[in-house]
Amino acid sequence: MNIQNHSLKIETGEAPKFYDITTEIELILDQSNFDSGILVVFSKHTTAGIVIQENEPLLLQDFSSLLNTIAPKNKEYNHNNFSIRTVHMHEDECPNGHSHCQHILIGTSETIPVINNSLTLGKWQRIFLVELDADYNNDREIIVQLIGN
């Protein structure tokens, strides 16, 4: 059994926004000398998720609208009440309760079968990093793990 771990940095900005990272994942796979098994794409963040979806601009706008409807930024969140919150606070803390609530709907990872050094994605399927926190304007770290032969 062969296990390989790779890290991918993605620069993000606005939110919610869907960043198609399929090409970057395919490049990692191409350079890995990996034939068959599974590939896991994992976000190390609680306000940026991973999804497989179609890269159709109007559909992605619909998804962004849905996320903003379900957990709007201007709603009151206990997480944003810094006068009562005592856990995981840091110097440059921002009010991002909405992005955490959106993330719980999206999730942290996707698993894709690999056959003959190729992702077995469907015709329209693409892999996205979904940025949910516009105030978080740094590199996002994605872990790509290959398990198999």
Side-chain angles (χ1 to χ4, degrees):
M1 166 116 21
N2 179 15
I3 298 176
Q4 297 180 32
N5 298 301
H6 305 269
S7 180
L8 178 62
K9 301 277 189 194
I10 305 293
E11 181 70 31
T12 64
E14 63 186 277
K17 185 169 180 181
F18 289 71
Y19 293 85
D20 188 336
I21 60 172
T22 310
T23 302
E24 291 89 338
I25 302 297
E26 289 172 332
L27 183 61
I28 289 171
L29 182 58
D30 286 345
Q31 296 173 347
S32 71
N33 195 26
F34 186 83
D35 182 58
S36 182
I38 59 172
L39 180 143
V40 178
V41 183
F42 174 79
S43 168
K44 291 182 68 174
H45 307 279
T46 57
T47 59
I50 302 291
V51 298
I52 294 176
Q53 195 45 257
E54 181 177 345
N55 192 356
E56 193 279 304
L58 297 176
L59 183 61
L60 298 179
Q61 286 178 3
D62 292 339
F63 292 148
S64 293
S65 294
L66 176 66
L67 290 169
N68 284 329
T69 299
I70 290 172
K73 188 173 185 174
N74 59 355
K75 185 181 174 197
E76 263 189 54
Y77 297 91
N78 290 328
H79 180 75
N80 296 350
N81 187 341
F82 300 156
S83 65
I84 63 170
R85 186 170 145 209
T86 59
V87 178
H88 302 142
M89 294 291 293
H90 53 86
E91 189 175 298
D92 57 345
E93 186 70 29
C94 62
N96 62 357
H98 68 288
S99 57
H100 289 282
C101 290
Q102 292 170 355
H103 183 270
I104 202 160
L105 302 172
I106 289 174
T108 304
S109 66
E110 291 283 359
T111 303
I112 303 139
V114 174
I115 299 173
N116 296 324
N117 194 247
S118 294
L119 298 174
T120 58
L121 294 172
K123 181 177 182 177
W124 304 112
Q125 289 182 320
R126 304 292 289 176
I127 305 164
F128 290 92
L129 167 67
V130 185
E131 178 59 73
L132 301 168
D133 190 353
D135 295 327
Y136 191 95
N137 206 4
N138 293 316
D139 286 340
R140 294 298 196 159
E141 185 178 2
I142 307 303
I143 301 300
V144 178
Q145 187 173 65
L146 301 162
I147 304 168
N149 302 317

